[in-house]
Amino acid sequence: MEQLIHQQITKSGVSDKKIAWRCIDIDYEEDPSRSPEASQTLKDVRKQFIEGKNVRFFTTATTYLNKKLNGQQLRTTDRENSAIVILEFNPPTPTHGNSQETLGNTGGYIVSGAPCEIAKANSVFLLIGAEDQHSDLEKFVGDLDSSISWMSSSMQFIKVSINVSGEPEVYLSEFYKKNCEALGLKFKNIVLSNLNQQKAIGSPIIRAEKALNELKEFILRAGWSAQVFTYSEYNDSVDQLTRHFYSGQQDSIDRSPGALFKLQHKQITITDSADFAALSSSQGAV
C-alpha cells in the first residue's frame, strides 16, 4: 500500500527526495504468531519499500513522537521539513450489534486501537463494573486486539492519556458525566493526586498506570470490579499528530493533516486536498 501511495505522490509532481515516510502501525512490529514464511515476506516487502527512500517504521504514535536522532526530536525535525506521516492502523470496525447509523446517535465515540506493552502505549484505561462483573471485565480486556472497537458510552472507565507534550491528561467516560458526575470527579481527583505526587517517578505512562492501579485498589475495596490495561488508541494518536503538525493554525483541530488516499479497483487516487495541491506545486518538502 505504501509503495502504491508513494508512486502516486511522485506522479503528482513531488520529488522522491522531498518525501519522508513515518509509517506508524502496531502491526509493523514482527508478530511471533506469524508463520516463518509470512515473517520473511514482511521483511522482503519492507526492504523493497525502504530502498532509496527516507523511511522509518514505528509501532505507535507515542514511540514516533518521542524518538530522538542525534540528540534532536525527530518530530521537530520532521515538522520543520514537512515530512509525510502515514497512519496505517487497522481501521475502526463497528461494535457488535450496532450499525454505523446507530453508533452515530449514541453520543459517544468509537474507541479503537490495540493493547500493547506500556512503553509503547499512549493511554491507560481503568474499566469499572459492579461486583459481579469481574469475569466480564477480565474477558473484555483479554479479547481486545486491533480488530475490535467499542463504544465509549457503553463502558464505565477512567482514562489517562499522554499528550503530545508528554504529560498525562485524565478523562472520564460519558457514563459519569450523565449519571454520577460527583463520583466521577472524585475518581478523577484520586488519579490526579497520585499523578502529581512530588515523589512520583518514572515516565508519564508508567505514572499513569500506577495512578490507575491505586484507584483500582480503592474501587475493589469498595466492593466493585475493575480492570486496568495499557492501550495504543487510534483517536489519541490522530489528535496528537494533528496538534503537533498543525499547532498554531486556526483550523488545526478541525482537519486531518495531509491528503487522503483511496484504493479502489486496484488504483490509488488522491482526494481533493488544497494542502496537497499546494505542496506538490511548491518548492518546499512534503
Side-chain angles (χ1 to χ4, degrees), residues 8 17 61 77 82 84 108 115 152 234 251 256 273:
Q8 189 65 38
K17 296 180 180 179
T77 304
S82 300
I84 288 181
S152 63
Y234 176 81
D251 57 351
S256 298
S273 170

Side-chain angles (χ1 to χ4, degrees), residues 27-38:
D27 288 330
Y28 275 122
E29 185 174 31
E30 290 186 36
D31 187 343
S33 65
R34 288 191 176 104
S35 66
E37 294 79 10

Side-chain angles (χ1 to χ4, degrees), residues 48-228:
Q48 182 182 16
F49 176 64
I50 290 173
E51 187 174 356
K53 303 182 184 71
N54 179 358
V55 183
R56 287 186 176 273
F57 295 97
F58 300 91
T59 52
T60 67
T62 301
T63 55
Y64 164 67
L65 290 168
N66 290 282
K67 177 67 175 178
K68 287 189 176 181
L69 289 177
N70 301 320
Q72 293 185 321
Q73 284 189 313
L74 180 61
R75 64 175 183 174
T76 302
T77 304
D78 283 349
R79 181 175 173 179
E80 292 172 353
N81 295 325
S82 300
I84 288 181
V85 175
I86 300 294
L87 283 179
E88 285 287 334
F89 285 90
N90 286 332
T93 55
T95 51
H96 180 68
N98 291 283
S99 65
Q100 289 294 346
E101 291 75 14
T102 302
L103 294 176
N105 294 325
T106 58
Y109 69 95
I110 300 175
V111 181
S112 57
C116 62
E117 61 185 272
I118 190 168
K120 296 173 181 176
N122 61 6
S123 58
V124 184
F125 283 83
L126 168 62
L127 300 183
I128 303 169
E131 182 180 7
D132 60 351
Q133 289 185 304
H134 179 77
S135 59
D136 293 335
L137 295 183
E138 194 174 52
K139 184 178 186 305
F140 177 84
V141 174
D143 288 344
L144 282 176
D145 62 34
S146 56
S147 68
I148 296 176
S149 299
W150 46 285
M151 281 301 302
S152 63
S153 58
S154 67
M155 304 291 290
Q156 300 177 45
F157 65 82
I158 310 293
K159 181 183 78 169
V160 181
S161 288
I162 307 304
N163 63 27
V164 70
S165 299
E167 293 302 318
E169 296 180 351
V170 183
Y171 299 88
L172 297 171
S173 64
E174 291 89 342
F175 173 86
Y176 293 103
K177 298 175 185 177
K178 294 179 180 178
N179 299 291
C180 45
E181 189 171 5
L183 180 61
L185 290 175
K186 182 177 181 178
F187 286 163
K188 184 174 182 178
N189 287 333
I190 292 174
V191 175
L192 287 171
S193 66
N194 279 279
L195 286 171
N196 297 329
Q197 285 181 357
Q198 291 184 347
K199 295 182 179 180
I201 58 174
S203 66
I205 195 69
I206 290 176
R207 285 161 43 211
E209 184 185 39
K210 183 178 179 181
L212 288 183
N213 274 315
E214 291 284 342
L215 179 56
K216 175 185 174 181
E217 292 303 315
F218 174 84
I219 289 170
L220 292 177
R221 287 195 299 270
W224 300 340
S225 57
Q227 283 286 324
V228 172

